[in-house]
Amino acid sequence: MDLQLSGRIAVVTGASQGIGLAVTRTLLGEGVRVLAVSRSSSAELAALGGDLLHGPADLMDPEAPARIVDRAVSEFGGLDILVNNAGGPPPGVALPRFSFMAPTDDDWRVMFEFNLFAVVRTIRAAIAPMLARGGGSIVNVSSGNARLPAPMNVDYNAAKAGLNNLTKALSEEFAPQGIRVNTVSPGPVRTAWWTKDGGAADILAAQAGTDRESVLTKVAPDLMKLTTGRLVDPQEVADVIALLASPRSASTTGADFAVDAGFLKQV
């Protein structure tokens, strides 16, 4: 299916690995010019080639979002697509946490800074150049945990719930002006968050008295009641994001799409 994306301009945050890398690769394959944003590049990102620029940025810096949008406009001539993928544990933070009592006030602040306020600032910067081109598509990467409150990672879950609310509000205001805003809510995705040394799989393995690979293949899918029996592949999330970025989804706005291996059970 032709997604009608050739020649469009995108900013993708958190683009050096995981979901963001898969989104960047997919959009490039559709002929999109992409400013790939991350604190540092990666060999995988650098190898993609095509109409790709790396935009080094730390989104914990309140000035960074405006700078990256300005660069996309100056280098490529505008902005049509924004994928707010950067999120999860803020720099230097390891998740999961297992209780409401675990995160401090400072933990809450940095969690919201990274997962909500950085998105607010990036969208604020993106609105004017999108309107100048007659509209665009914003896709915010949320989480199934935004709709499944639990004591584990309570600060992260609350930040993502705020992101879902923000998405609905933005759609109400800007869809009549041609800017569609949607969320994609992954379940557990097999990314560095899970697989790196000291990541979620290692933390859960220590709790369960097992090893990392057992957590990734058995413990986590069972714990989270994943009906597919496995963690999500990043490309599976990227494919949905690409469709939402496309004019083929022109009547889809203010919606949330679960790509979660059956994690959410609610109707």
Side-chain angles (χ1 to χ4, degrees):
M1 179 172 65
D2 179 9
L3 293 182
Q4 301 172 6
L5 286 171
S6 182
R8 294 178 187 265
I9 300 161
V11 167
V12 180
T13 68
S16 64
Q17 59 185 348
I19 295 170
L21 179 66
V23 170
T24 300
R25 181 189 303 113
T26 302
L27 293 180
L28 288 170
E30 294 291 331
V32 178
R33 291 173 284 174
V34 181
L35 180 65
V37 179
S38 59
R39 283 178 292 153
S40 59
S41 189
S42 64
E44 295 83 0
L45 181 63
L48 292 180
D51 285 327
L52 172 69
L53 286 174
H54 179 240
D58 180 356
L59 294 176
M60 299 293 281
D61 173 3
E63 305 301 321
R67 287 198 299 267
I68 62 175
V69 170
D70 287 347
R71 186 174 180 206
V73 172
S74 64
E75 295 279 358
F76 290 135
L79 183 62
D80 304 297
I81 300 160
L82 171 61
V83 180
N84 286 303
N85 167 70
V93 174
L95 295 180
R97 299 186 181 109
F98 295 97
S99 167
F100 166 76
M101 300 302 290
T104 65
D105 281 3
D106 284 342
D107 291 329
W108 278 88
R109 288 188 189 101
V110 297
M111 188 65 73
F112 270 68
E113 189 72 35
F114 191 45
N115 286 280
L116 183 59
F117 300 154
V119 175
V120 168
R121 295 179 185 120
T122 309
I123 293 172
R124 185 186 292 138
I127 291 294
M130 283 189 171
L131 290 175
R133 288 171 67 87
S137 174
I138 298 172
V139 184
N140 296 323
V141 178
S142 184
S143 168
N145 288 304
R147 293 196 281 139
L148 189 65
M152 184 182 292
N153 300 332
V154 63
D155 49 343
Y156 170 77
N157 302 344
K160 290 300 191 181
L163 180 60
N164 286 10
N165 189 291
L166 171 69
T167 298
K168 288 281 191 181
L170 290 166
S171 178
E172 283 294 304
E173 181 170 359
F174 291 105
Q177 301 174 64
I179 298 177
R180 299 181 296 108
V181 193
N182 295 285
T183 53
V184 172
S185 290
V189 182
R190 193 166 178 133
T191 64
W193 178 354
W194 282 88
T195 61
K196 69 182 180 181
D197 289 343
D202 283 353
I203 294 171
L204 287 172
Q207 288 279 323
T210 185
D211 60 88
R212 181 191 301 176
E213 191 59 29
S214 295
V215 168
L216 292 170
T217 59
K218 178 65 175 172
V219 175
D222 288 351
L223 177 68
M224 304 182 79
K225 298 181 174 62
L226 305 184
T227 52
T228 65
R230 63 172 178 83
L231 272 62
V232 179
D233 185 272
Q235 187 62 52
E236 295 167 334
V237 184
D239 289 342
V240 175
I241 291 172
L243 181 59
L244 289 172
S246 163
R248 303 297 291 263
S249 294
S251 291
T252 303
T253 189
D256 178 49
F257 288 79
V259 187
D260 65 358
F263 172 62
L264 283 173
K265 312 298 183 185
Q266 296 86 341
V267 175

